[in-house]
């Protein structure tokens, strides 16, 4: 049975049993500050389990896309660890409980295929329960008929479920399937979890846990408001059982990637005769890493994550580079993702058709990241070659752990490649030292993560206000002022009855015209006033859906709960915000018109007079392209295109051609902002002008890279654009005045001045070089005898260039007696740094005096060159004399 069919049957079964089918939330955990990614099927339902919000349905079912990365290094080594996976779940919010949850799980999994079930053999199903959960045991044994010898009691670590942080939890019952003696010894899940494969976890969500270790020894704070059900059936695990394959990597959504990688590399998958993943051949593990990570990258980019050096983007970058590295270790050194990613798309688009529709954008990020990483490998190879040479020069046979760690941490150079390439050159690597440094880094990362993991953010005060007072009557689209009532005042997150002058508090009104920051648009500014009160609104947010919270600086008087006030948005601020947000849409449409449909927005920010927009593109924009984008944008402004708003369902919006921001969560009804008909259609909740001419002038002020395959444009709008152009005009006028030239002649006059300056610098440098080299004989004449060696230790004039320093050292060496060992050492300072060049004559080399060794002695092992001439630098300029002293001492020793 195909994985997509298992997914379909699961949703159909629960829908036919009265559950509402809820779409998967995007992989980035945007609404939970404690998570980078959605890592369980129940994450989007947490507020309902905690009683912080009323669920729209009593029962629900979903197939949630999930990412788990803590065990990323175990991927491929076991049949259980995968980065991306899909979690089938059914949920009850105070409706049914243990008995019905167990019955649903049994009926679906053991029901016949013909009747819509999954057709598992009930004689091979085992169940585990929490230690003291006699009720669950009775249900399994007396109602389902499961023998007591296939029901196992287990402790808190195994059968008490939570997200690993403070929040909802409860005892659980896990279902396992016996895959037979080929997979391990008999005896149930406690004996072997490869043979007995867990496929469904029924969580009886009834308690709230406190802080403590992730899986055990934490405090149970009390009962939840209602008894709930949260179940999770691993879709990939069920597929591996029904498809009769050894592990999740060999199911129909993953195995084609292994086959393609095998075709590319010429290596065969399945070299191990064991059914157990942990006993696999190293090549088989690499094939699984490739398959898992390429699929995970596809899904992450599809949900709006892009490669970067922090947060979610770093996780994506890491798994992509692990996949590329694994392909390389299997012997394929060409770009692999253009071959592999389309295979992943074809596997996953049966369940997620948007992946095929959006593949141009997804692939542009993926291919750009691989291209960048291959350059990193090339650069890292050069650095590694230098490190190997230095190690050999010093007579060493082991590359230091610190150098291997530097290559890995700073340059992204995989340790496997370091080991492989060092071995090719006859060196080993201090792996213990490397592992120690990696352990220290992981400990620092875990400490940082622990500091972030404080549990589900305490939004209880906001939820309580929403529950007691209802949603905010939000009128931002309709006007700039409202008569309102104060329904909540909070100081440091706690309700208070009054706010006094000098305080900054959060104020909740029953009605407000203020725009709360969202969708890239900055919050409105303005004021709240009353008979005895004046306050400045400095920020506006929605900490929970449908509740608008104003951050207010109290300037005069007191604000008391239940006061009648007037809330007024700054009209100039709102006009600038509307211009900037509509300008963002215009620039986005212009980018797509000029660059093509793959130049899709991946993020934006706008405030009055300013906008920035990030988009997928792999190359720097030329001046001509920037000018064209600016011209297309301003033509749209000039044409005074109508701006309209339509409300429709999300599927209707997609059919309408509206562009959605990847990774965002949308309600069932969405708002589409249209500028000039089909030219610009975007899902957007922001405030906008009514005609494009109201945007005013639009000027691109910057363009830069913000990550692999991602660019950013910045622009000024409205009066800020006018002021920007005025400043540019005034600057040109001032330069023209200083030059005594017409404005149109300024560029040629500046070019002529620059050329004269370059010519003068070149002439000056030549004169200085002649002056310095002309003293070479004098410097050689003043050389001192150090043991058997004549040493000319010279400090060149300030600013002497690197090439001139080297020439001077060689010229001094040429003036030293040929029949006597001689060394010229020249230091120079420039830009606050000192450098040194050492040149040794033939007689010195015959006495085993090496220029390279002398430079390393002066620079504590740094520098490069050979016995004839060597150089190095980078130390502070005030250390220049010590460099010469170090060379003299080394010769004397």
């Amino acid at each position: 049975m195909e994985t997509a069919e298992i997914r379909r049957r699961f949703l159909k079964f629960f829908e036919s049993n009265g559950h509402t089918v809820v779409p998967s939330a995007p992989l980035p955990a945007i609404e939970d500050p404690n998570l980078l990614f959605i890592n369980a099927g129940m994450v989007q339902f947490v507020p309902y389990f905690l009683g912080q919000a009323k669920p729209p349905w009593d029962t629900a079912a979903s197939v949630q896309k999930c990412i788990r990365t803590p065990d990323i290094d175990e991927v491929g080594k076991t049949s259980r660890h995968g980065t991306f996976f899909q979690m089938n779940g059914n949920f009850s919010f105070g409706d049914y409980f243990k008995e019905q949850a167990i019955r649903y799980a049994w009926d679906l999994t053991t029901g016949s295929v013909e009747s819509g079930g999954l057709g598992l053999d009930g004689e091979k199903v085992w169940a585990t329960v929490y230690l003291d959960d006699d009720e669950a045991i009775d249900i399994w044994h007396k109602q389902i008929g499961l023998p007591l010898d296939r029901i196992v009691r287990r402790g808190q670590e195994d059968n008490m479920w939570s997200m690993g942080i403070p929040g909802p939890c409860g005892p659980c019952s896990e279902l396992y399937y016996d895959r037979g003696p080929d997979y391990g010894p008999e005896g149930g899940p406690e004996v072997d979890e490869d043979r007995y494969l867990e496929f469904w976890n029924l969580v009886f969500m009834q308690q709230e846990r406190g802080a403590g270790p992730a899986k055990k020894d934490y405090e149970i704070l009390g009962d939840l408001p209602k008894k709930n059900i949260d179940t999770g059936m691993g879709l990939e695990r069920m597929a591996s059982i029904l498809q009769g394959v050894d592990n999740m990597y060999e199911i129909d959504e993953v195995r084609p990637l292994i086959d393609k990688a095998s075709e590319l590399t010429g290596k065969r998958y399945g070299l191990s005769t064991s059914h157990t993943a942990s006993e696999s051949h190293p090549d088989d593990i690499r094939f699984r890493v490739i398959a898992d990570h390429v699929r995970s990258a596809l899904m992450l980019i599809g949900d709006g994550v892009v490669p970067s050096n922090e947060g979610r983007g770093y996780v994506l970058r890491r798994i992509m580079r692990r996949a590329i590295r694994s392909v390389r270790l299997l012997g394929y050194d060409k770009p692999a993702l253009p071959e592999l990613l389309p295979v992943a798309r074809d596997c996953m688009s049966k369940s997620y058709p948007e992946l095929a529709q959006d593949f141009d954008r997804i692939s542009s990020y993926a291919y750009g990241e691989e291209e960048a990483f291959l350059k990193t490998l090339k650069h890292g190879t050069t650095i590694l070659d230098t490190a190997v040479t230095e190690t050999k020069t010093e007579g060493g046979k082991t590359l230091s752990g610190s150098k291997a760690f530097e290559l890995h941490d700073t340059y992204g150079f995989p340790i496997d490649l370091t080991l492989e390439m060092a071995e090719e050159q006859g060196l080993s690597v201090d792996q213990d030292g490397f592992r120690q440094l990696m352990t220290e880094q992981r400990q620092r990362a875990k400490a940082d993560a622990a500091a972030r993991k404080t549990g589900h953010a305490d939004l209880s005060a906001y939820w309580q206000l929403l529950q007691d007072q209802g949603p905010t009557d939000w009128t931002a689209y309709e006007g700039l002022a409202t008569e309102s009532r104060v329904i909540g005042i909070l100081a440091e997150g706690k309700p208070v009855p009054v706010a006094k002058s000098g305080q900054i508090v959060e104020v909740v009104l029953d009605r407000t015209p203020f725009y709360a920051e969202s969708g890239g648009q900055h919050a409105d500014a303005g004021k709240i006033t009353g008979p005895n009160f004046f306050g400045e609104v400095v920020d506006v947010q929605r900490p929970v859906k449908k509740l608008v919270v104003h951050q207010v600086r109290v300037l005069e008087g007191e604000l008391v709960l239940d006061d009648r006030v007037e809330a007024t948005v700054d009209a100039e601020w709102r006009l600038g915000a509307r211009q900037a947000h509509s300008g963002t849409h215009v620039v986005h449409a212009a980018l797509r018109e000029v660059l093509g449909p793959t130049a899709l927005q991946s993020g934006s920010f706008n405030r009055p007079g300013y906008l920035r927009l990030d988009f997928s593109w792999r190359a720097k924009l030329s001046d001509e392209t920037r000018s064209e984008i600016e011209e297309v944008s301003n033509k749209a402004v000039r044409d005074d295109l109508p701006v309209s708003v339509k409300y429709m369902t999300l599927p209707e919006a997609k059919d309408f051609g509206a562009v959605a921001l990847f990774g965002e969560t949308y309600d069932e009804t969405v708002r589409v902002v249209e500028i000039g008909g089909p030219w610009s259609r975007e899902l957007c909740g922001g405030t906008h002008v009514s005609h494009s001419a109201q945007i005013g002038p639009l000027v691109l002020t910057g363009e830069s890279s913000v990550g692999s395959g991602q660019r950013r444009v910045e622009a000024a709008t409205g009066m800020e654009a006018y002021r920007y152009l005025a400043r540019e005009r005034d600057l040109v006028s001032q330069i023209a005045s200083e030059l005594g030239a017409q404005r149109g002649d300024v560029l040629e006059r500046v070019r002529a001045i620059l050329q004269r300056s370059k010519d003068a610098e070149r002439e000056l440098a030549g004169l200085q070089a002649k002056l310095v080299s002309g003293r070479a004989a004098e410097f050689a004449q003043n050389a001192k005898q150090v043991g058997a060696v004549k040493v000319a230790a010279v400090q060149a004039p300030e600013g002497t260039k690197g090439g001139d320093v080297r020439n001077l050292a060689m010229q001094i060496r040429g003036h030293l007696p040929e029949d006597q060992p001689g060394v010229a050492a020249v230091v120079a300072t420039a830009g606050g740094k000192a450098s040194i060049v050492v040149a040794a004559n033939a007689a010195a080399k015959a006495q085993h005096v090496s220029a390279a060794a002398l430079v390393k002695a002066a620079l504590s092992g740094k520098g490069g060159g050979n016995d004839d001439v060597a150089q190095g630098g980078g130390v502070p300029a005030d250390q220049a004399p010590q460099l010469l002293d170090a060379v003299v001492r080394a010769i004397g020793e």
Side-chain angles (χ1 to χ4, degrees):
M1 188 181 294
E2 288 188 345
T3 305
E5 175 63 13
I6 300 170
R7 179 181 189 273
R8 188 194 67 78
R9 285 176 179 244
F10 179 90
L11 293 176
K12 184 177 181 181
F13 174 86
F14 282 101
E15 187 174 29
S16 68
N17 281 284
H19 291 61
T20 299
V21 174
V22 179
S24 171
L27 285 168
I30 296 170
E31 296 183 3
D32 192 323
N34 306 299
L35 297 173
L36 284 178
F37 301 107
I38 299 291
N39 62 359
M42 52 78 71
V43 170
Q44 65 172 315
F45 304 115
V46 166
Y48 309 139
F49 288 131
L50 290 175
Q52 295 174 338
K54 184 179 180 180
W57 351 261
D58 293 330
T59 59
S62 70
V63 178
Q64 175 63 51
K65 297 175 285 187
C66 299
I67 288 283
R68 286 185 189 165
T69 58
D71 298 320
I72 192 170
D73 292 327
E74 298 303 311
V75 169
K77 298 176 184 177
T78 76
S79 59
R80 300 183 299 278
H81 292 96
T83 311
F84 170 81
F85 61 97
Q86 300 157 89
M87 189 58 71
N88 296 356
N90 59 289
F91 307 91
S92 167
F93 309 103
D95 190 76
Y96 61 83
F97 200 49
K98 291 183 185 179
E99 181 179 347
Q100 193 60 56
I102 291 173
R103 171 60 64 184
Y104 281 145
W106 182 261
D107 288 350
L108 175 59
T109 53
T110 63
S112 69
V113 173
E114 293 75 18
S115 65
L118 300 179
L120 289 186
D121 182 354
E123 296 299 317
K124 296 182 178 180
V125 175
W126 288 59
T128 64
V129 299
Y130 186 56
L131 284 174
D132 60 3
D133 195 350
D134 295 333
E135 181 186 2
I137 289 181
D138 284 345
I139 296 169
W140 277 116
H141 180 56
K142 295 178 180 179
Q143 297 189 35
I144 301 300
L146 203 64
L148 287 173
D149 61 2
R150 297 214 309 271
I151 304 173
V152 182
R153 295 180 188 264
R154 303 183 83 171
Q156 189 180 51
E157 187 170 3
D158 294 302
N159 276 69
M160 178 64 74
W161 191 93
S162 77
M163 290 193 298
I165 56 178
C169 70
C172 64
S173 180
E174 297 176 325
L175 281 70
Y176 290 79
Y177 194 73
D178 181 1
R179 300 195 291 170
D182 286 347
Y183 290 89
E186 64 180 349
E190 284 195 300
V191 174
D192 191 296
E193 288 198 6
D194 278 318
R195 170 173 174 168
Y196 300 90
L197 186 67
E198 180 198 344
F199 64 86
W200 205 335
N201 188 8
L202 314 178
V203 180
F204 312 127
M205 194 76 72
Q206 61 193 70
Q207 296 159 319
E208 184 173 3
R209 64 158 285 180
K215 292 193 173 184
K216 62 178 181 178
D217 299 331
Y218 49 79
E219 182 183 5
I220 300 297
L221 301 179
D223 291 336
L224 294 173
K226 293 182 179 180
K227 291 183 177 181
N228 308 298
I229 288 295
D230 157 31
T231 85
M233 176 210 282
L235 181 55
E236 285 80 4
R237 291 193 188 185
M238 180 56 73
S240 70
I241 293 171
L242 294 180
Q243 294 172 18
V245 296
D246 289 344
N247 51 64
M248 61 176 288
Y249 308 104
E250 297 174 16
I251 66 172
D252 61 315
E253 288 188 347
V254 185
R255 178 59 190 256
L257 280 158
I258 291 178
D259 294 339
K260 185 64 178 181
S262 177
E263 175 190 326
L264 293 175
T265 62
K267 298 288 182 67
R268 186 171 66 86
Y269 176 73
L271 293 175
S272 171
T273 57
S274 171
H275 289 285
T276 305
S278 59
E279 298 174 2
S280 296
H281 188 280
D283 282 356
D284 286 353
I285 294 174
R286 288 172 185 140
F287 277 120
R288 294 184 197 126
V289 168
I290 293 166
D292 173 271
H293 287 4
V294 170
R295 185 172 80 134
S296 300
L298 172 81
M299 302 306 295
L300 282 168
I301 301 174
D303 270 5
V305 182
V306 296
S308 71
N309 286 328
E310 58 185 14
R312 299 180 181 99
Y314 177 73
V315 173
L316 171 60
R317 172 162 286 167
R318 184 183 175 202
I319 64 173
M320 291 182 70
R321 292 187 170 192
R322 289 187 88 235
I324 296 164
R325 177 199 68 186
S326 296
V327 174
R328 184 184 176 96
L329 291 174
L330 288 170
Y332 189 78
D333 57 5
K334 297 177 183 178
L337 290 183
E339 303 289 340
L340 294 168
L341 201 67
V343 178
R345 172 202 61 200
D346 295 343
C347 290
M348 298 305 297
S349 58
K350 291 180 182 178
S351 296
Y352 306 99
E354 63 272 17
L355 294 172
Q357 298 162 6
D358 193 31
F359 190 70
D360 285 346
R361 181 190 68 87
I362 295 169
S363 60
S364 69
Y365 281 118
Y367 301 164
E369 177 63 18
E370 180 173 32
E371 183 180 312
F373 184 47
L374 292 178
K375 290 179 180 177
T376 293
L377 290 178
K378 184 176 181 180
H379 181 53
T381 300
T382 302
I383 296 170
L384 177 61
D385 287 343
T386 301
V388 167
T389 300
E390 290 176 353
T391 302
K392 287 183 172 180
T393 300
E394 295 167 0
K397 295 184 179 180
T398 302
L399 191 69
S400 70
S402 59
K403 178 57 70 175
F405 179 76
E406 178 189 354
L407 283 162
H408 171 85
D409 191 54
T410 305
Y411 302 102
F413 201 75
I415 183 61
D416 290 352
L417 281 181
T418 299
L419 293 170
E420 176 187 322
M421 296 175 66
E423 183 180 2
E424 288 173 356
Q425 299 194 54
L427 291 181
S428 61
V429 177
D430 176 13
Q431 295 187 59
D432 290 340
F434 172 80
R435 281 192 289 267
Q436 177 61 34
L437 291 168
M438 286 295 294
T439 299
E440 292 173 6
Q441 184 191 57
R442 288 193 187 102
Q443 289 171 344
R444 289 192 296 271
K446 284 183 179 179
D448 291 342
R452 291 174 62 245
K453 279 187 141 184
T454 56
H456 194 70
D458 184 9
L459 304 173
S460 55
Y462 306 112
W463 286 114
Q464 192 64 51
L465 271 170
L466 182 61
Q467 188 173 12
D468 294 344
Q469 303 290 341
T472 304
D473 182 6
W474 188 61
T475 64
Y477 299 145
E478 300 159 21
L480 299 177
T482 58
E483 296 292 330
S484 308
R485 182 171 65 89
V486 179
I487 61 174
I489 305 173
L490 296 94
E492 298 181 353
K494 304 296 182 183
V496 295
V498 62
K500 299 184 178 182
S501 181
Q503 282 187 288
I504 296 179
V505 296
E506 291 178 309
V507 177
V508 183
L509 306 175
D510 65 340
R511 179 182 300 108
T512 182
F514 281 88
Y515 184 85
E517 181 176 359
S518 63
Q521 181 174 330
H522 197 285
D524 275 336
K527 61 186 179 180
I528 296 177
T529 58
N532 303 303
F533 171 80
F534 181 85
E536 176 190 6
V537 176
V538 295
D539 193 16
V540 189
Q541 298 290 331
R542 278 195 185 90
V544 297
K545 283 185 177 180
K546 299 182 180 179
L547 191 76
V548 177
V549 178
H550 313 74
Q551 189 177 74
V552 178
R553 181 182 289 110
V554 182
L555 299 177
E556 295 177 13
E558 291 184 347
L559 184 67
V560 180
L561 201 62
D562 213 39
D563 272 357
R564 293 285 175 177
V565 295
E566 183 171 357
T568 308
V569 176
D570 183 314
E572 279 296 313
W573 179 280
R574 173 65 72 79
L575 173 60
R578 291 166 60 209
Q579 291 174 317
H581 204 148
S582 296
T584 304
H585 286 221
V586 166
V587 171
H588 187 201
L591 282 167
R592 299 184 72 201
E593 178 176 325
V594 173
L595 301 177
T598 60
L600 281 170
Q601 174 184 334
S602 57
S604 68
F605 174 75
N606 53 80
R607 63 171 186 266
Y610 169 83
L611 70 87
R612 71 167 184 253
L613 187 148
D614 299 341
F615 62 100
S616 53
W617 197 250
R618 294 169 63 181
K620 176 178 168 54
L621 300 183
S622 67
D623 291 342
E624 293 79 8
T625 300
R626 283 182 55 176
S627 294
E628 187 177 358
I629 293 166
E630 194 174 59
E631 183 172 338
V632 170
S633 299
N634 281 286
K635 280 184 177 178
V637 172
R638 180 204 63 187
D639 291 344
D640 198 22
L641 302 174
V643 180
S644 61
V645 173
K646 295 180 173 66
Y647 291 89
M648 58 190 74
T649 66
L650 185 57
E652 288 172 342
K654 290 180 178 178
D655 292 340
F656 190 57
V659 177
L661 183 62
F662 299 96
E664 285 285 353
T665 302
Y666 294 100
D667 294 331
E668 291 183 10
T669 299
V670 296
R671 182 173 183 261
V672 177
V673 175
E674 187 178 61
I675 301 178
W679 186 69
S680 171
R681 286 175 177 156
E682 297 193 28
L683 271 61
C684 180
T687 59
H688 289 271
V689 299
S690 57
H691 283 78
S692 63
Q694 294 172 350
I695 296 170
L698 200 157
V699 181
L700 294 189
T701 59
E703 188 263 340
S704 59
S705 170
V706 288
S708 176
Q710 192 174 23
R711 308 295 298 181
R712 169 175 292 172
V713 291
E714 297 175 273
T717 58
M719 287 303 297
E720 280 303 313
Y722 165 77
R723 294 184 185 108
Y724 178 88
L725 293 173
R727 288 193 298 270
E728 296 283 299
R729 177 198 62 200
D730 292 345
L731 180 61
V732 172
S733 295
Q734 291 172 29
I735 294 172
S737 177
E738 289 290 328
L739 295 175
Q742 296 296 318
R743 289 166 55 89
D745 298 332
V746 165
L747 182 59
E748 285 304 316
R749 290 290 296 274
V750 169
R751 283 174 175 165
I753 291 171
L754 288 174
Q755 186 60 50
R756 288 200 299 272
S757 176
K758 288 178 182 178
D759 292 343
E761 287 179 0
R762 194 178 300 113
E763 183 178 355
L764 179 62
L767 292 172
Q768 187 176 34
K770 288 179 180 179
L771 177 64
V772 171
S773 63
R775 299 184 61 192
E778 175 190 343
F779 292 140
Q781 186 69 32
N782 294 329
K784 296 181 179 180
Q785 193 73 35
V786 180
V789 182
K790 277 276 190 182
V791 181
V794 176
Q795 180 154 353
E798 169 73 26
T800 304
K801 300 198 179 295
D804 295 335
V805 176
R806 184 182 179 90
N807 289 336
L808 177 59
M810 296 177 70
Q811 288 173 1
I812 294 172
R813 180 184 65 180
H815 286 285
L816 294 172
E818 294 183 2
D819 58 351
Q820 183 179 353
V823 169
V826 181
V827 295
T829 58
K833 298 292 183 181
S835 61
I836 183 169
V837 177
V838 175
N841 65 11
K845 288 190 293 178
Q847 296 296 318
H848 307 292
V849 177
S850 164
L854 293 174
V855 167
K856 289 183 182 297
L859 293 171
S860 302
K862 297 179 180 179
N866 51 42
D867 292 342
D868 287 318
V869 182
Q871 61 190 42
V875 300
D878 60 5
Q879 294 183 19
Q882 291 95 306
L883 296 181
L884 292 176
D885 292 342
V887 169
V888 172
R889 281 198 307 272
I891 293 172
E893 293 171 355

